[in-house]
Amino acid sequence: MYRVPRDLNLSKLDGQFTTQICIGPFDLQFSIGDVHFVIQSEIKLKKNGKGIAVWKEGDWPSSEFYNVMNIEVESHHIPNDREIAITFKNGYSLHIYDNSDQYESMQIRIKGEDGLWVI
């Protein structure tokens, strides 16, 4: 809805590990180090660039999502104002999308920072 802002600093992701994934009826939540995500929009999981799983609101995630647990984040990037990509050292990557013009797609909280990023 609000697009991924250019000044969103996700550098605290690099070198960290996914420590928790929580599944709700309308969101998927996960923590990577000090960064906590609450996602209501589509998440694509890729391995070596090839799509292998998709999570959408109301669906149970594929067991493939387990492959990002306790794996170090190699890098992250924001390719455009509708996507955040997080790459892990095992070749998996999460691609999180702001795919709604009407509703919020995600919230991001970074430990040690005031406020919440609402996208």
Side-chain angles (χ1 to χ4, degrees):
M1 174 177 182
Y2 299 116
R3 308 289 186 268
V4 179
R6 291 184 183 266
D7 60 341
L8 175 59
N9 182 354
L10 294 174
S11 61
K12 287 188 174 185
L13 290 173
D14 298 337
Q16 297 302 308
F17 300 82
T18 308
T19 55
Q20 185 177 45
I21 296 177
C22 301
I23 304 158
F26 306 108
D27 61 8
L28 187 105
Q29 301 180 28
F30 56 93
S31 296
I32 301 174
D34 290 338
V35 184
H36 183 73
F37 294 85
V38 178
I39 311 296
Q40 294 86 25
S41 62
E42 183 177 83
I43 303 172
K44 289 184 181 176
L45 181 66
K46 298 181 180 182
K47 179 157 188 186
N48 299 321
K50 181 183 176 190
I52 57 172
V54 176
W55 178 83
K56 294 180 184 177
E57 180 182 321
D59 289 345
W60 194 260
S62 162
S63 61
E64 287 288 339
F65 279 86
Y66 185 74
N67 290 304
V68 301
M69 290 296 297
N70 297 315
I71 304 297
E72 186 176 349
V73 172
E74 181 173 78
S75 64
H76 72 280
H77 68 284
I78 300 172
N80 56 62
D81 66 351
R82 288 192 172 258
E83 180 181 358
I84 297 171
I86 303 167
T87 303
F88 297 85
K89 289 213 172 186
N90 62 356
Y92 281 83
S93 59
L94 286 175
H95 298 262
I96 307 163
Y97 298 94
D98 175 10
N99 60 3
S100 176
D101 289 326
Q102 187 176 6
Y103 300 106
E104 294 174 2
S105 297
M106 67 188 88
Q107 299 80 42
I108 303 170
R109 183 175 308 277
I110 302 171
K111 186 176 179 181
E113 292 185 12
D114 292 334
L116 175 74
W117 293 91
V118 178
I119 299 168

